[in-house]
Every structure is written in structure tokens, then in C-alpha cells.
Amino acid sequence: MKAVCWHGAMDMRVETVPDPTILNPRDAIIKITSTAICGSDLHIYDGFIPTMKAGDIMGHEFMGEVVEVGPSVQKLKKGDRVVVPFPISCGQCFFCNRELWSLCDNSNPSENAGLIEKLYGHSPAALFGYSHFFGGYAGGQAEYARVPFADVGPIKVPDGLTDDQVLFLSDILPTGYMAAENCNIQPGDIVAIWGCGPVGQFAIKSAFLLGAERVIAIDRFPERLKMAHEMSGAEILNYEEIDVGEALKEMTGGRGPDACLDAVGLEAHGMGLEGFYDKVMQAVRMETDRPNVLRQAIVSCRKGGTVSLAGVYGGFIDKVPMGAAFNKGLTMKMGQTHVHKYLRPLLERIQNGEIDPSYIISHRLPLEDAPRAYDIFKNKKENCTKVVLKP
């Protein structure tokens, strides 16, 4: 089959690789009909995620048709059309039983879990196509994929819904929704959201669905700010043109937003001296992640408010204002998304017409064009907001 394979920073290749096979009785094989490039894939593309190996298959946002199931799979059959969540979860451990699906104890093989335990203390769930820290599983930017624990993860797609409408249930729609849910939004709340990429767009939409009175969206790309305003009704700030902290004070009567949401993560684009400092510290490996947005969110948030992190962080950061977080009594919530928890509720919202996630797609390209797709998505060429690849 054809698959998108990693060969180093900025080096993606479409190669012919062996077809996946059933390795465990709980496996299924999916023929992929749509797959996407995620913003967190760019962290791998840019070389910030360790333990990648040449030839690793990329991708964790995918859906398709079941073509084979293992003997223990009871809930799926050949021909079913499914969306696959990006965390791999067993459905039986302490964490899965508490709907903390991205913290599954059993999906990351022990030889890989040991690597990440040294860094994090414990291993989270495995992820499709996201390094050997997170299981070393082949991803979904391919013609076929093996899906472990197939009775637990994939959700069947009802007739009448297109791939474009449901594909993002695999990751970014639940990610934006959970990040907004973590904001503990109350009637009348003002939510500030840094980052108007795909996750940020869905966080904006979700914040309004959950009852926010106002959402203030912060970015520097005009096309993304325009989308946030026109598609969701957010107020917008271009951080290259204005002091965001001062603007947020003015827009909230000096109090600050009730919740601040970081939908950017470890590759935040900093301005001035602070941005230069982070780039230097990252270059000399004194920090792995650039926490510019996190700093702004902590300082900008009102006293007693909530800071929610949806953007991926992978390692170590510097100069985080913990004194501000402590003395303002902030609540901080974060983590990889418990996608399984949100599949059914968000599918129902799509069916009811409350949200059509397809509006964020700017490019639909064949799988063979993946190297170009990564380039235009990474470098914001051609007003690219989201790429869907078709095997």
C-alpha cells in the first residue's frame, strides 16, 4: 500500500509499504477513505517530537471502511464505515473505566512505555502515528490501517453524512470541545482563545455552544481571524498589531477574561525579546517547548479564572509565571483529548445541524501530494487552514 512516511525533519515521503495485518484478535483493518494533517503532526515535521524512526507512517486523523476484523471483535463487521479516535484505548483499565481514555494503561507496549515513563513518570495512552514514545503504531495517512481494540474506539457513521462532516471526530473537533469544556464556562463568561488554527476554530465554536457570551480570538493570520469572526462570531485580535494583554483588559473592563485557552502549544510564535529568548533557549536545548502563549494566558486571565491547554506540550518550558497562577487562584486544565467520551455527543450535534466541521477544510488533495500538503499547511501557503488527503 501507499503511505506517508517520516524520514526526518521536513522530509515526508509517500512510499510503498507492506499492508497491515491482524496481529491481535481485537484488531480491525480499515481501508482509509479520508485522512488529515493535524497541527500536532507539524511538531513531528519540524523535528520536535523524539523517538521517530525513518519510515514511520504518519497520521492520526482518519476514517474509512472496515475490511477485516479479528475473531474477538463483536461490534464491527466488514463494510462498516467508521471514524477512528486518535488515542488507542483498551476499554478495561482503571483510566478507561473512568472515561480518561487518553490515559489508558494498556495500549502503549511496555518497551515503548518505559521510554516515556522516564520523562513523564507514567505512560499515557498510545497514539496513532505519533512516535515510539506513544506506542510506535503506524498512522492513518495511508491506504489501510490496523486499529487495535477495535470494539472500543471506532464509531460507526450513520448514512447520509459525508466524510468531510465526520472526519474531525477523530481528533480536532473533540479536542476543541474538551478544551472549551475545561474552561468551566458559565452564563455571561468571556473566553479568550489563542490560536485560530483548526483546533482553535472548533474551540471557539464549542465555547459558544457551551454558553460563552463573548469569545475573543487571537492570531496573526488574517484568513484565520476572518474565519473565526465570520463562521463563529468571535471578536478578533491580531497580536502583531496590538498589545494583547492590554487589549484584553480594555475589552473586559479591566478584569480579564473568565477563561483563557491555549490552542497553540509548544511552537508558539513569540514577539520581541521574549520570542527571541524562547528560540535561543530551544536551539541550545535549555527548553524544548516555547511557552509564549501559556505565559500570556496566565497573566491575562482574571483572578479565580481558568486556563485551558489544548495545544500540545511535549517536554520542558522556562519562565512560566507560576507566581501569577498561584496568587490569582487560577485553575489549569489540560491533556490529550479523551476522544471516545465525545464521539456520540458531537456526532449528534453534527446530525442536528448545530455544527458542520467541514467549513475549516481549505485543501483536498490526493495522498501522493502529502509532501506538498505538509509544506503548504506548515507555511500557511495558499491560505491553507486544513488539508484532507484522499488515498
Side-chain angles (χ1 to χ4, degrees):
M1 69 171 183
K2 297 291 186 182
V4 181
C5 299
W6 181 91
H7 282 274
M10 314 287 182
D11 187 2
M12 299 294 183
R13 306 176 194 175
V14 179
E15 299 180 327
T16 300
V17 300
D19 290 356
T21 58
I22 298 290
L23 300 179
N24 183 286
R26 299 179 68 184
D27 289 349
I29 305 298
I30 309 295
K31 180 181 180 181
I32 296 169
T33 56
S34 293
T35 183
I37 300 174
C38 180
S40 58
D41 288 330
L42 297 182
H43 302 321
I44 297 177
Y45 184 66
D46 290 340
F48 291 116
I49 304 298
T51 71
M52 291 293 293
K53 298 179 181 179
D56 282 349
I57 298 174
M58 293 287 296
H60 57 268
E61 295 181 350
F62 62 97
M63 64 175 293
E65 179 184 334
V66 177
V67 294
E68 187 179 357
V69 295
S72 297
V73 176
Q74 302 298 316
K75 296 180 182 179
L76 296 180
K77 65 181 185 304
K78 186 176 179 180
D80 283 342
R81 189 163 158 250
V82 296
V83 177
V84 181
F86 79 88
I88 302 171
S89 310
C90 74
Q92 298 171 327
C93 70
F94 174 93
F95 297 98
C96 289
N97 284 332
R98 286 158 178 77
E99 294 196 309
L100 301 172
W101 301 97
S102 69
L103 305 178
C104 176
D105 252 347
N106 293 327
S107 60
N108 197 350
S110 58
E111 64 270 20
N112 294 319
L115 296 173
I116 203 166
E117 284 174 5
K118 292 178 181 178
L119 183 64
Y120 294 164
H122 300 85
S123 171
L127 311 176
F128 285 102
Y130 214 78
S131 85
H132 294 265
F133 261 165
F134 295 98
Y137 289 88
Q141 290 172 8
E143 293 179 314
Y144 294 89
R146 179 177 75 94
V147 177
F149 307 110
D151 272 341
V152 178
I155 185 171
K156 295 180 186 178
V157 178
D159 293 338
L161 294 177
T162 66
D163 278 21
D164 286 354
Q165 287 176 286
V166 297
L167 171 60
F168 303 130
L169 287 169
S170 60
D171 177 2
I172 55 173
L173 179 55
T175 295
Y177 190 89
M178 187 177 104
E181 186 179 77
N182 282 345
C183 288
N184 188 31
I185 295 169
Q186 304 299 312
D189 273 2
I190 302 172
V191 180
I193 296 178
W194 278 257
C196 296
V199 168
Q201 298 291 340
F202 289 147
I204 294 164
K205 185 77 72 174
S206 298
F208 280 122
L209 287 174
L210 291 169
E213 182 172 307
R214 296 168 63 196
V215 176
I216 303 168
I218 302 152
D219 205 296
R220 65 185 174 118
F221 294 100
E223 64 274 12
R224 302 207 300 191
L225 289 166
K226 181 180 178 182
M227 179 181 288
H229 177 65
E230 293 184 351
M231 300 304 296
S232 300
E235 301 164 58
I236 56 176
L237 295 175
N238 186 327
Y239 67 80
E240 288 189 329
E241 299 175 353
I242 197 167
D243 184 313
V244 170
E246 290 302 314
L248 289 174
K249 281 184 180 179
E250 184 176 336
M251 296 169 79
T252 59
R255 189 175 62 195
D258 300 284
C260 290
L261 194 159
D262 173 359
V264 180
L266 68 88
E267 289 189 80
H269 177 82
M271 299 287 288
L273 213 43
E274 184 177 314
F276 177 75
Y277 173 86
D278 280 334
K279 287 184 178 179
V280 170
M281 292 293 284
Q282 190 179 57
V284 299
R285 298 296 186 263
M286 295 296 287
E287 66 175 348
T288 60
D289 303 1
R290 303 195 297 263
N292 181 67
V293 166
L294 176 58
R295 295 187 193 109
Q296 286 190 16
I298 289 172
V299 172
S300 299
C301 194
R302 73 156 167 84
K303 292 180 289 186
T306 301
V307 174
S308 171
L309 278 64
V312 170
Y313 286 89
F316 300 94
I317 54 180
D318 192 25
K319 299 292 188 292
V320 173
M322 287 305 296
F326 179 84
N327 287 292
K328 293 203 294 183
L330 301 184
T331 296
M332 298 183 70
K333 300 198 74 173
M334 64 197 79
Q336 296 283 5
T337 308
H338 308 304
V339 174
H340 305 55
K341 176 181 177 180
Y342 299 100
L343 287 173
R344 184 62 57 188
L346 288 174
L347 178 60
E348 291 174 0
R349 286 188 182 269
I350 293 170
Q351 289 179 293
N352 294 338
E354 296 176 67
I355 184 170
D356 179 357
S358 64
Y359 76 89
I360 69 165
I361 302 170
S362 59
H363 290 67
R364 297 170 180 84
L365 299 171
L367 188 71
E368 290 79 5
D369 285 355
R372 172 176 170 263
Y374 268 91
D375 176 55
I376 61 174
F377 186 46
K378 153 72 178 175
N379 294 301
K380 311 298 184 293
K381 298 178 181 177
E382 303 175 17
N383 292 330
C384 182
T385 54
K386 186 68 174 179
V387 179
V388 172
L389 301 172
K390 307 294 286 190

